[in-house]
Amino acid sequence: MVNYFSSDFKLAILGGGQLGKMMLYETRKYDIQTLVLDPSAEAPSKISCNYFEQGDLMDYDTVLNFGRRANVVTFEIEGVNIKALKQLEAEGIKTYPAASTLEKIQNKAVQKKFYRQHNLPTADFEVFQNLEDLKTAVSAGAVKIPFVWKSATGGYDGKGVSVIRKEGDLNKLSNGECIAEKLIPFKNELAVIVARNPSGEVKTYPVVEMEFHPTANQVEYVICPARINEEIAGKARSLAEKVSEAFQHVGLLAVEMFQTEDDKILINEVAPRPHNSGHYSIEASYTNQFEQQIRAILDLPLGNTDSKVGGIMVNLVGDKDHEGEVLYENIEEIMKMDGVTPHIYGKKITRPFRKMGHVTIVDKDLARARKIAEKVKNSIKVISKNK
Amino acid sequence: MVNYFSSDFKLAILGGGQLGKMMLYETRKYDIQTLVLDPSAEAPSKISCNYFEQGDLMDYDTVLNFGRRANVVTFEIEGVNIKALKQLEAEGIKTYPAASTLEKIQNKAVQKKFYRQHNLPTADFEVFQNLEDLKTAVSAGAVKIPFVWKSATGGYDGKGVSVIRKEGDLNKLSNGECIAEKLIPFKNELAVIVARNPSGEVKTYPVVEMEFHPTANQVEYVICPARINEEIAGKARSLAEKVSEAFQHVGLLAVEMFQTEDDKILINEVAPRPHNSGHYSIEASYTNQFEQQIRAILDLPLGNTDSKVGGIMVNLVGDKDHEGEVLYENIEEIMKMDGVTPHIYGKKITRPFRKMGHVTIVDKDLARARKIAEKVKNSIKVISKNK
């Protein structure tokens, strides 16, 4: 048996962004040796790992040669070379989540078709090879406005998703494979993180509720537990487990869902990694999502997913009018508030709506935490030094 | 005003052991730039800081030149060159805790005299310049057996402390300045961590209760909150605050105390830094001691010191029969238990009773946590690979 807590064992993480950085707090806690690959020399994970390499995550040789240095390979971002992961698996290096799982998720058109094939509830959709085909379908009345456009690849932080309300909106879209999805009127956006280890142990986190920024299409508050009744919560957790099982997923799977007006639960999309909707867990949960990810991919026993206290997460995104070297205005003000913890990802440059950090607010009383969260949101600003 | 959350600001930490390592989780969370100095090239803090230097913490020039690179200097171990800290202060570099505070604590004889001068309650004692003087005093009946011997310098993890029960025990002691302290029959050993920032904000953590290993003279369980009544807890917190004020201490001050048979509270000793008795706070408190230390020394607002849940800490010390490359036997077993988090410090070599890590057990029900803690203690073993 491999001894993970030994200098002979090495874990490779593809991607060195904020998720990788937070994962490294946990590998440091367990003294697990880590290797990180990231295209940026300024990657947030650059320190805290045992070995850092700058390189292209989509390049076959780079990923393959990097992965060969490790015993287990994982990723913190979906955009990695799957062929290289397959080759690593063929060479006996464990990659979790598996290449075959990521393959079903990386491309959103493939992901949506997977739900249809497995009778997993999701909004109706059609796939188009390029923007021209979509425009033709809209002109012909085969796709009815309004609908949701999603790019099949490259979407992140609300990019690659757009609600099309009039034909002119189509001209703002990028070209490439895409999905036209039925616009679902929903009460709530919910998410459940499922953890699964290779031995088959499965645990789900409580349902969280997401509030989106009205224009930037980014999550504004993540609230745990979601303020929904137990029946709906039970439905959401059980659907998330089914999704995880269908994908035969190992590690964390964040399942984003809609609660429709008539209380149906539909899958929106999944992320096969620690997720923004689970950041609250660092302060609120018995086992935070990053520790759980490490436990899961190393086939260690999964930790308790319950919460100690209510948690709310606010994203710290770059102010829309600022670009340049970052400054966190009023960070001292929010640190005066009870149960408030800022997390600064360490990106040097802020840009409009760029994810620069997050703030967690915990409290035994969730309603009080929600009020503090609003104060936090109205106080701190991510601006640039020389605007 | 200095902006701590900027790449222009640098924090120097003298010492790169486990305490420094855990402090670095917090500087990483805030993206604060750090420099670490440690004599060992294998120091646990070596990665996770922005700059690491190998060097002698007691060497004047090494500490001075290292400290000059930073805006604020702190330490995670008392054994650092005080003259260099004073020179850094004279040059306008903030050192917290101050050199003058550390000077009153570093030498235990000086520390004990300080309590006497300030009418702070502590066990009666006498100071001796060397072992010969002490032996003479014992022979003459001026010091009565039994008593507690403490080395004035170099004590750590229970080393440098010995209960003298018969005259022959004197022969096992090392030479050098020492204290003979009255042996106090006590009900409990308690500790309170006080946080204070340069602006004068002060917060105390709840009282913890310590159970010592019967032979190794090391803490076996740290229990928070201590199972004592509110009146005693109030007395202990208020005495700890007084001690912190007397020292004009900035940062964390861990105050170890005895609760005597007749419910008096006596100061045992203090540590001007994050402390073993506060490790439980990582999982149990709203603001863990390492985050609090960073907040305090950077003059940021102090965080909430309350607990979310009950916490118990078990030290992971090297098995008495093992020395060599370390192995954590049954770590998977304890990870199956609810609310259990192992922390592995990353020391390569285990030795009898060496502190190799700790395990925290949290639970809303402290009595249940205590039962799990015992299971933890009976399961995990720190052994060597090739015994």
Side-chain angles (χ1 to χ4, degrees):
Chain A
M1 201 202 118
V2 186
N3 178 13
Y4 304 115
F5 307 96
S6 135
S7 49
D8 303 334
F9 174 80
K10 283 176 181 59
L11 170 68
I13 305 174
L14 303 172
Q18 65 262 24
L19 298 176
K21 180 187 165 186
M22 291 186 269
M23 222 188 288
L24 292 180
Y25 300 161
E26 309 306 320
T27 55
R28 294 292 292 135
K29 193 167 83 183
Y30 291 158
D31 197 42
I32 288 167
Q33 311 294 303
T34 48
L35 322 168
V36 170
L37 178 70
D38 193 89
S40 166
E42 301 273 294
S45 288
K46 191 172 182 177
I47 59 174
S48 296
C49 60
N50 297 79
Y51 169 80
F52 177 80
E53 192 176 304
Q54 191 180 355
D56 183 354
L57 300 171
M58 292 303 286
D59 182 71
Y60 177 80
D61 289 322
T62 303
V63 172
L64 180 61
N65 290 326
F66 180 79
R68 279 176 175 157
R69 294 165 159 267
N71 306 81
V72 173
V73 176
T74 190
F75 49 84
E76 56 113 53
I77 187 167
E78 289 91 324
V80 300
N81 189 296
I82 288 180
K83 224 181 115 194
L85 292 187
K86 285 190 173 170
Q87 181 57 31
L88 288 167
E89 285 173 354
E91 292 177 15
I93 291 164
K94 293 191 171 75
T95 80
Y96 293 127
S100 59
T101 298
L102 179 57
E103 204 166 31
K104 296 180 189 98
I105 293 171
Q106 201 181 50
N107 178 304
K108 281 188 191 167
V110 175
Q111 193 188 127
K112 286 286 285 188
K113 287 180 198 161
F114 180 86
Y115 301 137
R116 192 178 270 163
Q117 284 154 17
H118 288 76
N119 286 318
L120 293 164
T122 192
D124 275 347
F125 67 98
E126 252 185 280
V127 174
F128 296 92
Q129 285 316 302
N130 53 52
L131 190 56
E132 271 319 295
D133 288 2
L134 172 60
K135 281 180 176 170
T136 307
V138 171
S139 299
V143 169
K144 299 250 183 297
I145 284 172
F147 67 91
V148 180
W149 168 87
K150 287 181 178 175
S151 171
T153 54
Y156 193 66
D157 285 358
K159 279 170 208 123
V161 179
S162 202
V163 179
I164 306 302
R165 299 198 183 274
K166 53 182 193 299
E167 215 164 323
D169 290 349
L170 291 166
N171 298 319
K172 291 179 286 183
L173 302 177
S174 57
N175 199 4
E177 190 184 6
C178 63
I179 306 162
E181 194 177 274
K182 196 176 162 186
L183 184 64
I184 304 285
F186 57 83
K187 282 184 194 168
N188 274 310
E189 286 215 37
L190 307 174
V192 170
I193 292 175
V194 185
R196 170 190 293 264
N197 69 17
S199 298
E201 196 189 357
V202 178
K203 286 194 179 178
T204 59
Y205 278 86
V207 184
V208 303
E209 172 194 341
M210 294 182 283
E211 281 186 41
F212 275 69
H213 186 279
T215 60
N217 202 25
Q218 283 185 316
V219 176
E220 194 164 41
Y221 300 107
V222 173
I223 301 173
C224 180
R227 295 160 299 182
I228 54 175
N229 69 42
E230 275 187 38
E231 195 200 328
I232 300 293
K235 263 196 206 176
R237 284 176 96 150
S238 126
L239 176 57
E241 264 190 50
K242 263 196 205 164
V243 174
S244 157
E245 199 178 318
F247 281 119
Q248 279 299 302
H249 184 271
V250 168
L252 297 189
L253 187 73
V255 183
E256 295 186 64
M257 291 167 280
F258 299 117
Q259 177 189 1
T260 64
E261 300 286 2
D262 56 345
D263 284 345
K264 288 210 179 75
I265 307 287
L266 299 181
I267 303 158
N268 177 16
E269 60 179 43
V270 300
R273 51 167 169 80
H275 190 249
N276 195 262
S277 68
H279 288 351
Y280 79 91
S281 65
I282 297 176
E283 284 82 11
S285 305
Y286 283 95
T287 312
N288 77 56
Q289 65 165 345
F290 300 98
E291 177 179 335
Q292 196 75 289
Q293 172 75 339
I294 299 299
R295 287 176 178 242
I297 62 178
L298 299 191
D299 208 10
L300 291 163
L302 299 180
N304 183 355
T305 55
D306 291 345
S307 291
K308 298 167 191 165
V309 284
I312 300 193
M313 192 275 304
V314 178
N315 281 315
L316 279 183
V317 300
D319 187 275
K320 66 177 170 46
D321 298 321
H322 285 258
E323 178 151 1
E325 209 182 326
V326 66
L327 201 69
Y328 300 92
E329 196 176 69
N330 294 329
I331 190 165
E332 283 92 345
E333 288 309 307
I334 71 165
M335 290 176 80
K336 280 182 196 157
M337 304 172 191
D338 258 2
V340 170
T341 310
H343 291 254
I344 305 297
Y345 297 155
K347 299 172 184 174
K348 304 292 170 233
I349 302 296
T350 183
R351 283 192 291 270
F353 304 116
R354 187 178 193 197
K355 248 183 225 166
M356 300 299 290
H358 74 264
V359 182
T360 310
I361 301 96
V362 293
D363 202 297
K364 280 177 184 164
D365 177 350
L366 190 65
R368 187 165 53 201
R370 182 61 182 76
K371 277 182 202 148
I372 297 172
E374 203 151 323
K375 278 172 66 186
V376 165
K377 204 162 169 48
N378 294 332
S379 305
I380 192 164
K381 271 206 161 65
V382 182
I383 60 174
S384 61
K385 276 187 182 169
N386 318 303
K387 206 239 157 170
Chain B
M1 202 202 116
V2 186
N3 177 13
Y4 304 116
F5 306 95
S6 137
S7 50
D8 303 335
F9 174 80
K10 285 176 178 60
L11 171 67
I13 304 174
L14 303 172
Q18 65 262 25
L19 299 175
K21 179 186 165 189
M22 290 186 270
M23 223 187 287
L24 291 180
Y25 300 162
E26 309 306 321
T27 56
R28 294 291 294 135
K29 192 167 83 184
Y30 291 157
D31 195 42
I32 287 166
Q33 311 294 302
T34 47
L35 322 167
V36 170
L37 178 71
D38 194 90
S40 166
E42 301 272 294
S45 288
K46 191 172 182 179
I47 61 172
S48 297
C49 60
N50 297 80
Y51 168 80
F52 178 81
E53 192 176 305
Q54 191 180 357
D56 183 354
L57 299 170
M58 292 303 285
D59 182 70
Y60 177 80
D61 289 322
T62 304
V63 172
L64 180 60
N65 291 327
F66 180 78
R68 279 176 175 158
R69 294 165 158 266
N71 306 82
V72 173
V73 175
T74 190
F75 49 83
E76 56 111 55
I77 186 167
E78 289 91 325
V80 300
N81 189 296
I82 288 180
K83 223 180 119 195
L85 292 187
K86 285 190 173 171
Q87 180 57 31
L88 288 167
E89 286 173 353
E91 293 178 13
I93 292 164
K94 293 189 170 75
T95 79
Y96 293 127
S100 59
T101 299
L102 179 58
E103 202 166 32
K104 297 179 187 101
I105 293 171
Q106 201 181 51
N107 178 303
K108 281 188 190 166
V110 176
Q111 192 188 130
K112 287 286 285 189
K113 286 178 197 163
F114 180 87
Y115 300 137
R116 190 177 272 164
Q117 283 154 18
H118 287 77
N119 287 316
L120 292 164
T122 191
D124 276 346
F125 67 97
E126 252 184 283
V127 175
F128 296 91
Q129 285 316 303
N130 52 53
L131 191 57
E132 271 320 296
D133 288 3
L134 172 61
K135 283 181 175 169
T136 307
V138 171
S139 300
V143 169
K144 300 252 182 297
I145 284 173
F147 67 92
V148 181
W149 168 89
K150 288 183 179 173
S151 171
T153 55
Y156 194 67
D157 286 357
K159 279 170 207 120
V161 179
S162 201
V163 179
I164 306 303
R165 300 197 182 273
K166 53 184 193 299
E167 213 163 324
D169 291 345
L170 291 167
N171 298 321
K172 291 180 286 182
L173 304 177
S174 57
N175 198 4
E177 192 184 2
C178 62
I179 306 161
E181 193 177 276
K182 195 175 164 188
L183 183 65
I184 304 286
F186 57 84
K187 280 185 196 168
N188 274 310
E189 285 216 38
L190 307 174
V192 170
I193 291 175
V194 185
R196 170 190 294 262
N197 68 18
S199 297
E201 196 189 356
V202 178
K203 287 194 179 176
T204 58
Y205 278 84
V207 184
V208 302
E209 173 194 343
M210 294 183 284
E211 281 186 42
F212 276 67
H213 186 279
T215 59
N217 202 26
Q218 282 185 318
V219 177
E220 193 163 40
Y221 300 106
V222 174
I223 300 173
C224 180
R227 295 160 298 182
I228 54 176
N229 70 41
E230 276 187 38
E231 195 199 329
I232 300 294
K235 261 196 206 178
R237 282 175 96 150
S238 125
L239 176 58
E241 264 191 51
K242 263 195 206 165
V243 174
S244 158
E245 199 177 318
F247 280 119
Q248 278 300 299
H249 184 271
V250 168
L252 298 188
L253 187 73
V255 184
E256 296 186 63
M257 292 167 279
F258 299 117
Q259 176 189 3
T260 64
E261 300 285 1
D262 56 346
D263 285 342
K264 287 210 180 75
I265 306 289
L266 300 180
I267 303 159
N268 178 13
E269 61 180 39
V270 299
R273 51 168 169 80
H275 189 250
N276 195 262
S277 68
H279 288 350
Y280 78 90
S281 67
I282 296 177
E283 284 81 12
S285 305
Y286 283 95
T287 312
N288 76 55
Q289 66 166 344
F290 300 99
E291 177 179 336
Q292 196 76 289
Q293 172 76 339
I294 298 298
R295 286 177 177 241
I297 62 176
L298 299 190
D299 207 11
L300 291 164
L302 299 180
N304 184 356
T305 55
D306 291 345
S307 292
K308 299 168 190 165
V309 285
I312 299 191
M313 194 276 302
V314 178
N315 282 315
L316 279 183
V317 300
D319 189 275
K320 66 177 171 45
D321 299 321
H322 285 259
E323 180 151 358
E325 209 181 328
V326 65
L327 201 69
Y328 301 93
E329 197 176 68
N330 293 330
I331 189 164
E332 283 92 345
E333 288 309 307
I334 70 163
M335 290 176 81
K336 280 182 197 158
M337 304 173 192
D338 259 1
V340 170
T341 309
H343 290 253
I344 306 297
Y345 297 154
K347 299 173 184 175
K348 306 292 170 232
I349 302 296
T350 183
R351 284 193 291 270
F353 303 115
R354 188 179 191 197
K355 248 184 224 166
M356 300 299 288
H358 74 264
V359 181
T360 310
I361 301 95
V362 292
D363 203 297
K364 281 176 182 164
D365 177 351
L366 191 66
R368 187 165 56 201
R370 181 63 182 74
K371 276 183 202 149
I372 297 173
E374 202 151 325
K375 277 172 64 187
V376 165
K377 206 165 166 48
N378 293 334
S379 303
I380 192 165
K381 271 209 160 68
V382 182
I383 59 173
S384 60
K385 276 186 182 171
N386 319 302
K387 208 238 151 165

